[in-house]
């Protein structure tokens, strides 16, 4: 996926130099997230997967850095494969989908940055990758992500989760419904 730009943001591949900012944003440097070494391994995977998926002419799966126009890293947006066994119910047939992922630094939430970054990625997926639809999933109590789903124009529904006691929330957006 090429670098994408919006009014306030740039979405670009991660670089190894993003480690400290990425660790601060995603883990807060505390014991509950990944250790710095684990985050470094994850970041290396992001850097290499971007390179090798492109070389193999594969879809642009993986996470990308979300930066302000001044270059400061403020979050992550990603495209991930998702095998949807949630809506089919027990014994139902699963389907493979392309799912979105976003995460913005805590101090910058509530300013529309997640929706702006996700919208740029969706536009690329529909216009350049020619996808018919994309999804996003979240937990029932993640109202902020559900709000982003609705801002994108997604149809939001609750689905039973056979792998956990709580249902999942799934947002679906078709190319025709995208504004």
């Amino acid at each position: 996926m090429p670098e994408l730009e919006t009014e306030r943001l740039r979405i670009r591949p991660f670089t190894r130099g993003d480690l400290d900012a990425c660790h601060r944003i995603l883990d807060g440097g505390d014991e509950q997230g990944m250790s710095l070494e684990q985050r470094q391994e994850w970041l290396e995977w992001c850097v290499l997967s971007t390179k090798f998926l492109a070389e193999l002419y594969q879809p642009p799966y993986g996470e990308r850095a979300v930066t302000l126009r001044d270059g400061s890293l403020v979050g992550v947006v990603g495209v991930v494969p998702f095998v949807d066994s949630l809506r089919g119910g027990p014994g139902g047939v699963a389907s493979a989908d392309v799912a979105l992922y976003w995460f913005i630094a805590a101090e910058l939430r509530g300013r529309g940055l997640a929706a702006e970054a996700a919208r740029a990625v969706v536009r690329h997926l529909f216009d350049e990758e020619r996808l018919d639809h994309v999804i996003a999933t979240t937990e029932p109590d993640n109202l902020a992500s559900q709000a982003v789903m609705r801002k994108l124009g997604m149809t939001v529904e609750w689905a039973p989760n056979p792998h956990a006691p709580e249902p999942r929330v799934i947002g679906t957006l078709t190319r025709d419904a995208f504004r």
Side-chain angles (χ1 to χ4, degrees), residues 146-157:
Q146 292 173 46
V148 171
M149 291 176 184
R150 287 185 178 92
K151 283 181 186 177
L152 293 172
M154 289 183 158
T155 301
V156 178
E157 63 182 319

Side-chain angles (χ1 to χ4, degrees), residues 104-141:
I104 297 295
E107 67 271 15
L108 296 173
R109 292 182 191 152
R111 299 180 186 183
L113 297 175
E116 189 173 329
R119 182 174 301 285
V121 172
V122 168
R123 182 170 287 114
H124 173 80
L125 293 173
F126 285 159
D127 292 349
E128 303 303 321
E129 302 297 328
R130 310 297 299 154
L131 293 183
D132 178 59
H133 70 280
V134 295
I135 68 163
T137 67
T138 193
E139 293 80 26
D141 63 346

Side-chain angles (χ1 to χ4, degrees), residues 1-33:
M1 180 173 2
E3 185 173 295
L4 305 174
E5 292 191 13
T6 70
E7 181 181 328
R8 300 180 292 173
L9 304 173
R10 284 195 177 100
I11 294 119
R12 61 164 175 78
F14 275 109
T15 67
R16 290 172 184 91
D18 292 326
L19 178 61
D20 290 336
C22 189
H23 187 63
R24 179 187 55 78
I25 290 167
L26 292 176
D27 297 295
D30 64 18
E31 303 294 317
Q32 296 178 4

